[in-house]
Amino acid sequence: EVVLTQSPGTLSLSPGERATLSCRASQGVKYSYLAWYQQKPGQAPRLLIYGVSSRATGIPDRFSGSGSGTDFTLTISRLEPEDFAVYYCQQYGTSSTFGPGTKVDIK
Amino acid sequence: QVQLVQSGAEVRKPGASVKVSCKTSGYTFTTYAIHWVRRAPGQRPEWMGWINAANGNTEYSQRFQGRVTFTRDTSATTAYMELSSLRSEDTAIYYCAGDSLAADGQFFDYWGQGTLVTVSS
């Protein structure tokens, strides 16, 4: 099983700041099949990024994804108030597994 | 717009079964797969498997093999997940999620709102 680790566990930032979230895989993610989701309390997850760096429909360009192999990054260039949430990475190259999440909260 | 609407919260005793529905609308049902993902309290999301809505083929995560069954009703554009031999560790929010069969890889464009299943004696 491909185990995903996310860091940090919690990121405390202010609106307007840049957020950098990390996702590391226990082995190489096949075909660059890596996605990112945002989840707010009481809501379903929302797809942000798929295929490492492709933004899903309707996702603002302040969200960007990068990386390869075992190391991936989600960057939010300037945090908006609605961006404070939990972010999960998912690999879907070998079955499907999720990371434990990074919580982005307001400093 | 695309919607996945799940059935309501359930409470079951250990050893029982539960069946959760996922009613879809806003797209052609047979162009998507439906996956099931659960998140237990304090745990990361866990993928349970998927059903191809076009042909009914299924794939189950090894963790749930033998205990979970996915079905679909194309006329009702609804998918179902049944989990049997429930134990307390199965207490979780269960989500259905849609994945375009035409997409390159299985990522989840659309999600249901989640169904809380509580297993307690």
Side-chain angles (χ1 to χ4, degrees), chain B residues 38-117:
Chain B
R38 76 177 189 181
R39 190 161 63 86
Q43 303 294 314
R44 67 183 66 197
E46 182 174 30
W47 177 78
M48 301 176 69
W50 65 287
I51 182 166
N52 182 324
N55 59 22
N57 288 347
T58 55
E59 179 183 354
Y60 301 114
S61 166
Q62 274 198 317
R63 250 177 66 81
F64 299 97
Q65 192 85 37
R67 257 201 331 136
V68 71
T69 304
F70 303 144
T71 55
R72 97 284 191 221
D73 179 340
T74 54
S75 61
T77 66
T78 300
Y80 303 90
M81 183 279 298
E82 183 167 21
L83 186 62
S84 62
S85 303
L86 289 168
R87 34 212 190 229
S88 58
E89 310 90 88
D90 293 318
T91 295
I93 300 174
Y94 289 76
Y95 295 96
C96 60
D99 146 45
S100 171
L101 292 168
D104 185 15
Q106 295 183 324
F107 53 89
F108 311 137
D109 304 82
Y110 304 109
W111 293 72
Q113 84 277 17
T115 296
L116 175 62
V117 174

Side-chain angles (χ1 to χ4, degrees), chain A residues 21-67:
Chain A
L21 287 66
S22 173
C23 175
R24 179 163 289 177
S26 60
Q27 56 189 269
V29 173
K30 289 183 178 178
Y31 319 119
S32 297
Y33 281 178
L34 193 287
W36 291 91
Y37 300 86
Q38 176 194 69
Q39 189 170 28
K40 298 178 182 178
Q43 296 185 19
R46 177 172 74 141
L47 176 68
L48 300 175
I49 301 285
Y50 62 93
V52 175
S53 60
S54 297
R55 268 187 302 277
T57 303
I59 300 303
D61 60 8
R62 64 179 181 274
F63 291 92
S64 62
S66 62

Side-chain angles (χ1 to χ4, degrees), chain A residues 89-103:
Chain A
C89 56
Q90 174 216 7
Q91 70 77 29
Y92 49 100
T94 306
S95 186
S96 181
T97 53
F98 288 84
T102 289
K103 182 178 183 181

